[in-house]
Amino acid sequence: TLEGVTNPRGRMLHDQIYQRRLEISHPLEPTYYPQCALYSPGVLDFFICKELLHLSNTPRVVHEMSSDHYSVLLEISTNILNNTGRYSLLK
């Protein structure tokens, strides 16, 4: 796993994702490599999903461009799952 810095906006985003029961998918390597040696590489790009991760792979970093920031690709299956469950807004 990658370690990073926690800040108020990150905590707010985390809380919203948790409260809404969303999922995060991120690459396993940094997407940003700062030019300044004082800063560490980090993952700035990730996906927020709802009931989608079981259909997808781990996002991968695309190293085709020479930059301090790389693109991320997430491939999602086009298979349709038949869901026979019923949903209700009432408990």
Side-chain angles (χ1 to χ4, degrees):
T1 62
L2 300 171
E3 294 182 19
V5 177
T6 302
N7 61 46
R9 289 185 180 174
R11 281 190 291 277
M12 182 176 66
L13 180 60
H14 173 271
D15 292 346
Q16 288 297 312
I17 290 169
Y18 178 78
Q19 289 171 9
R20 297 173 192 277
R21 297 182 179 154
L22 301 172
E23 302 156 339
I24 296 177
S25 184
H26 60 85
L28 300 177
E29 63 180 293
T31 60
Y32 174 69
Y33 293 87
Q35 295 178 3
C36 177
L38 296 174
Y39 301 105
S40 299
V43 176
L44 298 182
D45 303 274
F46 53 90
F47 298 88
I48 300 174
C49 312
K50 178 81 172 176
E51 299 176 6
L52 185 62
L53 292 183
H54 62 281
L55 299 176
S56 62
N57 298 318
T58 300
R60 65 181 174 88
V61 177
V62 180
H63 294 278
E64 294 176 3
M65 301 173 69
S66 61
S67 171
D68 63 349
H69 189 122
Y70 293 104
S71 300
V72 178
L73 178 66
L74 174 62
E75 296 182 41
I76 300 173
S77 172
T78 58
N79 295 334
I80 297 173
L81 300 177
N82 291 329
N83 188 345
T84 58
R86 295 184 181 253
Y87 298 95
S88 173
L89 295 176
L90 305 173
K91 289 187 176 186

